[in-house]
Amino acid sequence: MSKILSMKELVPTIYEAVVEAPEIARKAKAGEFLVVMPDEKGERVPLTIADFDREKGTITIVFMTIGTSTYKLAAMKAGDSYYAFVGPLGHASEIKNYGTVVMVAGGVGTAPIYPIARELKKAGNKVISIQGARTKELLFWEDKLAGVSDEHIITTDDGTFGRKGLVTEPLKEICEREKVAVVYAIGPIPMMKFCTFTTKPFGVKTIVSLNSIMIDATGMCGGCRVNVGNETKFTCIDGPEFDGHQVDWNLLTSRQKIYLAEEKCSLEKYVEEAKK
Ligand code: FES
């Protein structure tokens, strides 16, 4: 049982929880993930670590309400405890001095990209961040990300803040402008996919963090399988980070939809019960 120390809605539909988890905080590294269960019956929700504080023994998670389990997580308050809070899982990001790195965050992807950007900055890299959101009111952690970046660009789809347009536009300009060693792209699947399409002509290594559907998160069930470089990989034990230029995006996109009907039905049932 891990206790929630603080809980807040950062922006509509996106929540931040700071959780007491000294054992996990002691070992946590940027890029790793956790499995969180709101209650005994909830599904296992994989969440990439958004922040950790070894001294305070805390882990920060940020999630968006999408289905029943994330709605259950959002309904929990400071003082409540998660039924399960397991981690750190997966491989950590490879942190070293690459030179210039570009961190591209889409929507809730800002949270997992932050600790990676922070560690890359500490390792001596020039960090350029591009943070994208649909609209101004969905932007969060701009100051945190800017604080670990040499250059910080914001884009919104509707132009309500920063540059109007998609993250791929400044990404292309930066690749044209200077030598980029590595790009990290974390966010919705289409955004990561188009970031890899943007960097491919420049030959810039592009790492993505995949959020494929997980069940056991131990490499046993095969639920999280993805195809990378024509090989089957398990996101939970081989990832979550992969070379984006090698990912079979069509397969990933179709696999993300396989439980849509069940997810919709579960959410409708949860909403009905919550009204009673
Ligand atoms: Fe089961 Fe990865 S979640 S193999």
Side-chain angles (χ1 to χ4, degrees):
M1 293 280 221
S2 296
K3 191 169 156 191
I4 303 170
L5 300 176
S6 72
M7 173 77 184
K8 64 179 170 194
E9 187 176 16
L10 288 171
V11 292
T13 72
I14 297 179
Y15 294 79
E16 174 195 294
V18 178
V19 183
E20 186 179 59
E23 291 296 307
I24 301 176
R26 198 157 48 83
K27 294 183 191 154
K29 294 196 199 78
E32 294 171 329
F33 72 98
L34 305 152
V35 163
V36 186
M37 286 177 75
D39 57 40
E40 203 176 349
K41 292 183 183 161
E43 62 186 331
R44 301 167 188 209
V45 183
L47 293 171
T48 309
I49 294 171
D51 207 353
F52 51 89
D53 187 320
R54 296 205 171 99
E55 279 179 26
K56 291 183 186 159
T58 59
I59 293 283
T60 302
I61 55 170
V62 172
F63 57 91
M64 179 185 255
T65 46
I66 299 169
T68 307
S69 298
T70 44
Y71 273 90
K72 283 184 182 174
L73 290 177
M76 295 178 79
K77 298 176 185 59
D80 293 345
S81 293
Y82 297 120
Y83 174 73
F85 196 76
V86 181
L89 300 167
H91 293 282
S93 308
E94 193 179 350
I95 304 295
K96 61 181 183 183
N97 192 338
Y98 294 97
T100 296
V101 295
V102 180
M103 313 301 291
V104 193
V108 74
T110 296
I113 221 155
Y114 165 72
I116 307 170
R118 181 183 63 196
E119 298 307 311
L120 287 169
K121 178 75 182 143
K122 272 193 217 162
N125 292 281
K126 176 181 175 183
V127 176
I128 304 173
S129 299
I130 307 170
Q131 183 176 0
R134 274 190 286 120
T135 188
K136 182 185 175 190
E137 71 163 347
L138 293 176
L139 281 167
F140 67 94
W141 283 18
E142 308 96 289
D143 293 349
K144 280 182 84 152
L145 193 54
V148 296
S149 307
D150 295 277
E151 185 180 345
H152 179 231
I153 300 159
I154 293 180
T155 65
T156 49
D157 295 3
D158 62 3
T160 45
F161 197 84
R163 277 180 66 158
K164 184 177 192 300
L166 303 174
V167 290
T168 45
E169 292 164 21
L171 175 60
K172 181 167 181 270
E173 289 166 12
I174 293 163
C175 290
E176 284 166 346
R177 183 185 84 189
E178 61 188 286
K179 184 167 168 31
V180 175
V182 179
V183 168
Y184 266 85
I186 308 183
I189 290 173
M191 172 241 147
M192 293 192 284
K193 174 174 142 182
F194 284 103
C195 283
T196 65
F197 290 179
T198 303
T199 56
K200 187 130 199 208
F202 298 95
V204 178
K205 182 174 180 178
T206 301
I207 299 164
V208 294
S209 181
L210 300 183
N211 54 348
S212 56
I213 292 168
M214 288 194 196
I215 301 168
D216 67 338
T218 62
M220 304 284 281
C221 72
C224 68
R225 68 184 176 275
V226 288
N227 189 300
V228 182
N230 289 324
E231 280 182 43
T232 296
K233 300 277 182 191
F234 297 142
T235 304
C236 64
I237 54 167
D238 298 319
E241 292 179 2
F242 293 100
D243 177 349
H245 293 146
Q246 306 283 323
V247 171
D248 181 337
W249 293 104
N250 291 337
L251 180 68
L252 180 63
T253 305
S254 65
R255 284 192 54 78
Q256 286 303 87
K257 294 178 185 159
I258 51 179
Y259 298 117
L260 269 188
E262 288 84 354
E263 286 166 9
K264 185 167 174 277
C265 177
S266 167
L267 184 58
E268 283 168 359
K269 205 167 140 204
Y270 174 73
V271 170
E272 272 311 304
E273 277 171 14
K275 279 186 199 158
K276 286 178 192 165

